[in-house]
Amino acid sequence: MARQKIIIDTDPGQDDAVAILLALASPELEVLGITAVAGNVPLDWTQKNARKVCELASRPDIRVFAGADRPLKRLLVTAEHVHGGTGLDGPELPEPSMPLQSQHGVDFLIEELRSQPSGTVTLCTLGALTNVALALQRAPDIAPRIQQIVLMGGGFSEGGNITPAAEFNIYVDPHAAEIVFSSGVPLVVMPLDVTHQVLTTRKRMDAIAAIGTPVARATVEMLDFFERFDVQKYGSDGGPLHDPCVIAYLLQPALFQGRSCNVEIETESELTIGMTVVDWWSVTDRPKNALFMRQVDADGFFELLTERLKTL
Ligand code: BDR
Ligand code: CA
């Protein structure tokens, strides 16, 4: 079986961590590397957290790179109020002993995309799009080489989660998002409309806990911590599990439904900066630049996640 080559760009983050675990548990995927970006917490934490998660999955061989420590133009906004001071509050995970790669994450993205056969590498982005935008700016020749970018970000009918208009990942670096959305690279977008359907209900968490392995235990501890904020905010049974939707799409695309449409990023207005303006009804002639998802089979998603976590 030819494995799908992916690079994960991420700001762990408990939900990022579960996305990384899902990828590492999936034989269909070959993780060429992980690039960390500042977002949920500053870069020093996100790169370290990415290494902790690889070690939790017994994969110290995965190369982890540190990328951008701040957005292109704006000051960094973080989300310790959701993820805790470390970004990965919940379980006690040991300090990682696997090294951080010395190459900058953006240089790695450029070099790897140039050295792999064109059109064979998918970028999975789980945080602000700063690293990818920097790579595209510095090396425009990589754009046609990227098979697709599957990203968690944005919202349509769900609105925003960090401001009324904006979802966190796009809000943190709207200028980077604008570069990516106008790059011509095929985009698949997992917005809040989808991720707010993927709730960590007690029943689903109990099924993961029942696996009984250290990975399953750590997953439940991470998600128990992570959901408390959203449970309070939305009054739901469980919180939304955003980032793993990106990986699940590569494994079982039929779990998701959406349509191809134009998506533009607001970068000017202080009121709505970071908003994804989605032309769902094709009321403009602007080019369709993204496959924008709206629906997910949440039970199917959790069956997949739970089955895969059993293998770690
Ligand atoms: C996104 O923001 C981060 O806090 C999560 O990790 C996810 O990537 C959800 O808006
Ligand atoms: Ca994230």
Side-chain angles (χ1 to χ4, degrees), residues 146-164:
I146 302 171
Q147 186 175 16
Q148 60 180 344
I149 300 175
V150 187
L151 67 101
M152 192 282 134
F156 180 43
S157 53
E158 281 292 297
N161 62 354
I162 182 77
T163 73

mmCIF file of all heavy atoms in Angstrom, residues 146-164:
data_model
loop_
_atom_site.group_PDB
_atom_site.id
_atom_site.type_symbol
_atom_site.label_atom_id
_atom_site.label_comp_id
_atom_site.label_asym_id
_atom_site.label_seq_id
_atom_site.Cartn_x
_atom_site.Cartn_y
_atom_site.Cartn_z
ATOM 1 N N ILE A 146 2.471 21.177 -3.862
ATOM 2 C CA ILE A 146 1.683 20.710 -2.708
ATOM 3 C C ILE A 146 0.424 20.021 -3.234
ATOM 4 O O ILE A 146 -0.323 20.596 -4.023
ATOM 5 C CB ILE A 146 1.284 21.901 -1.802
ATOM 6 C CG1 ILE A 146 2.526 22.647 -1.309
ATOM 7 C CG2 ILE A 146 0.454 21.406 -0.619
ATOM 8 C CD1 ILE A 146 2.218 23.966 -0.588
ATOM 9 N N GLN A 147 0.226 18.782 -2.810
ATOM 10 C CA GLN A 147 -0.954 18.028 -3.274
ATOM 11 C C GLN A 147 -2.226 18.733 -2.831
ATOM 12 O O GLN A 147 -3.130 18.970 -3.627
ATOM 13 C CB GLN A 147 -0.880 16.617 -2.680
ATOM 14 C CG GLN A 147 -1.937 15.678 -3.183
ATOM 15 C CD GLN A 147 -1.717 14.267 -2.652
ATOM 16 O OE1 GLN A 147 -0.964 14.043 -1.693
ATOM 17 N NE2 GLN A 147 -2.350 13.309 -3.279
ATOM 18 N N GLN A 148 -2.302 19.066 -1.541
ATOM 19 C CA GLN A 148 -3.437 19.810 -0.992
ATOM 20 C C GLN A 148 -3.072 20.240 0.424
ATOM 21 O O GLN A 148 -2.153 19.698 1.036
ATOM 22 C CB GLN A 148 -4.705 18.947 -0.955
ATOM 23 C CG GLN A 148 -4.565 17.707 -0.100
ATOM 24 C CD GLN A 148 -5.822 16.846 -0.058
ATOM 25 O OE1 GLN A 148 -6.907 17.280 -0.412
ATOM 26 N NE2 GLN A 148 -5.677 15.600 0.384
ATOM 27 N N ILE A 149 -3.805 21.218 0.917
ATOM 28 C CA ILE A 149 -3.692 21.600 2.330
ATOM 29 C C ILE A 149 -5.036 21.291 2.969
ATOM 30 O O ILE A 149 -6.072 21.782 2.508
ATOM 31 C CB ILE A 149 -3.358 23.102 2.503
ATOM 32 C CG1 ILE A 149 -2.017 23.438 1.825
ATOM 33 C CG2 ILE A 149 -3.315 23.467 3.984
ATOM 34 C CD1 ILE A 149 -1.671 24.930 1.832
ATOM 35 N N VAL A 150 -5.029 20.439 3.976
ATOM 36 C CA VAL A 150 -6.241 20.180 4.746
ATOM 37 C C VAL A 150 -6.068 20.931 6.055
ATOM 38 O O VAL A 150 -5.094 20.693 6.786
ATOM 39 C CB VAL A 150 -6.460 18.673 4.992
ATOM 40 C CG1 VAL A 150 -7.814 18.436 5.643
ATOM 41 C CG2 VAL A 150 -6.351 17.879 3.688
ATOM 42 N N LEU A 151 -6.956 21.873 6.334
ATOM 43 C CA LEU A 151 -6.715 22.765 7.470
ATOM 44 C C LEU A 151 -7.914 22.859 8.396
ATOM 45 O O LEU A 151 -9.065 22.784 7.970
ATOM 46 C CB LEU A 151 -6.334 24.161 6.966
ATOM 47 C CG LEU A 151 -7.367 24.991 6.221
ATOM 48 C CD1 LEU A 151 -7.983 26.046 7.140
ATOM 49 C CD2 LEU A 151 -6.710 25.673 5.026
ATOM 50 N N MET A 152 -7.610 22.985 9.690
ATOM 51 C CA MET A 152 -8.665 23.341 10.638
ATOM 52 C C MET A 152 -8.633 24.848 10.795
ATOM 53 O O MET A 152 -7.615 25.424 11.194
ATOM 54 C CB MET A 152 -8.408 22.666 12.003
ATOM 55 C CG MET A 152 -9.602 22.750 12.966
ATOM 56 S SD MET A 152 -9.759 24.334 13.760
ATOM 57 C CE MET A 152 -11.498 24.673 13.597
ATOM 58 N N GLY A 153 -9.771 25.472 10.476
ATOM 59 C CA GLY A 153 -9.849 26.913 10.648
ATOM 60 C C GLY A 153 -11.143 27.456 10.084
ATOM 61 O O GLY A 153 -11.783 26.830 9.245
ATOM 62 N N GLY A 154 -11.528 28.606 10.587
ATOM 63 C CA GLY A 154 -12.671 29.320 10.038
ATOM 64 C C GLY A 154 -14.015 28.846 10.560
ATOM 65 O O GLY A 154 -14.110 27.915 11.370
ATOM 66 N N GLY A 155 -15.039 29.521 10.086
ATOM 67 C CA GLY A 155 -16.406 29.189 10.473
ATOM 68 C C GLY A 155 -17.343 29.903 9.525
ATOM 69 O O GLY A 155 -16.978 30.916 8.919
ATOM 70 N N PHE A 156 -18.539 29.359 9.391
ATOM 71 C CA PHE A 156 -19.540 30.001 8.527
ATOM 72 C C PHE A 156 -20.767 30.267 9.389
ATOM 73 O O PHE A 156 -20.842 31.280 10.076
ATOM 74 C CB PHE A 156 -19.825 29.100 7.323
ATOM 75 C CG PHE A 156 -20.844 29.638 6.363
ATOM 76 C CD1 PHE A 156 -20.845 30.972 5.987
ATOM 77 C CD2 PHE A 156 -21.816 28.798 5.815
ATOM 78 C CE1 PHE A 156 -21.797 31.459 5.093
ATOM 79 C CE2 PHE A 156 -22.759 29.275 4.925
ATOM 80 C CZ PHE A 156 -22.759 30.614 4.567
ATOM 81 N N SER A 157 -21.698 29.319 9.455
ATOM 82 C CA SER A 157 -22.898 29.596 10.256
ATOM 83 C C SER A 157 -22.613 29.519 11.757
ATOM 84 O O SER A 157 -23.402 30.026 12.555
ATOM 85 C CB SER A 157 -24.031 28.645 9.872
ATOM 86 O OG SER A 157 -23.585 27.321 9.939
ATOM 87 N N GLU A 158 -21.508 28.907 12.159
ATOM 88 C CA GLU A 158 -21.173 28.841 13.584
ATOM 89 C C GLU A 158 -20.565 30.138 14.097
ATOM 90 O O GLU A 158 -20.367 30.290 15.294
ATOM 91 C CB GLU A 158 -20.176 27.703 13.843
ATOM 92 C CG GLU A 158 -20.788 26.336 13.899
ATOM 93 C CD GLU A 158 -21.696 26.127 15.103
ATOM 94 O OE1 GLU A 158 -21.225 26.185 16.241
ATOM 95 O OE2 GLU A 158 -22.895 25.921 14.872
ATOM 96 N N GLY A 159 -20.185 31.048 13.194
ATOM 97 C CA GLY A 159 -19.533 32.277 13.640
ATOM 98 C C GLY A 159 -18.123 31.991 14.125
ATOM 99 O O GLY A 159 -17.456 31.087 13.606
ATOM 100 N N GLY A 160 -17.689 32.730 15.137
ATOM 101 C CA GLY A 160 -16.315 32.581 15.615
ATOM 102 C C GLY A 160 -16.256 32.025 17.015
ATOM 103 O O GLY A 160 -17.278 31.906 17.691
ATOM 104 N N ASN A 161 -15.039 31.660 17.469
ATOM 105 C CA ASN A 161 -14.874 31.201 18.850
ATOM 106 C C ASN A 161 -13.905 32.061 19.655
ATOM 107 O O ASN A 161 -13.812 31.907 20.868
ATOM 108 C CB ASN A 161 -14.475 29.715 18.901
ATOM 109 C CG ASN A 161 -13.142 29.432 18.231
ATOM 110 O OD1 ASN A 161 -12.533 30.320 17.610
ATOM 111 N ND2 ASN A 161 -12.687 28.192 18.321
ATOM 112 N N ILE A 162 -13.192 32.986 18.971
ATOM 113 C CA ILE A 162 -12.302 33.877 19.739
ATOM 114 C C ILE A 162 -12.840 35.319 19.675
ATOM 115 O O ILE A 162 -12.650 36.096 20.596
ATOM 116 C CB ILE A 162 -10.833 33.762 19.250
ATOM 117 C CG1 ILE A 162 -9.875 34.636 20.060
ATOM 118 C CG2 ILE A 162 -10.680 34.088 17.772
ATOM 119 C CD1 ILE A 162 -9.509 34.089 21.391
ATOM 120 N N THR A 163 -13.508 35.650 18.573
ATOM 121 C CA THR A 163 -14.335 36.859 18.491
ATOM 122 C C THR A 163 -15.664 36.387 17.886
ATOM 123 O O THR A 163 -15.738 35.264 17.375
ATOM 124 C CB THR A 163 -13.716 37.943 17.567
ATOM 125 O OG1 THR A 163 -13.856 37.524 16.202
ATOM 126 C CG2 THR A 163 -12.257 38.219 17.897
ATOM 127 N N PRO A 164 -16.685 37.239 17.900
ATOM 128 C CA PRO A 164 -17.954 36.792 17.305
ATOM 129 C C PRO A 164 -17.801 36.393 15.836
ATOM 130 O O PRO A 164 -18.565 35.567 15.334
ATOM 131 C CB PRO A 164 -18.851 38.032 17.440
ATOM 132 C CG PRO A 164 -18.282 38.787 18.592
ATOM 133 C CD PRO A 164 -16.798 38.561 18.551
#
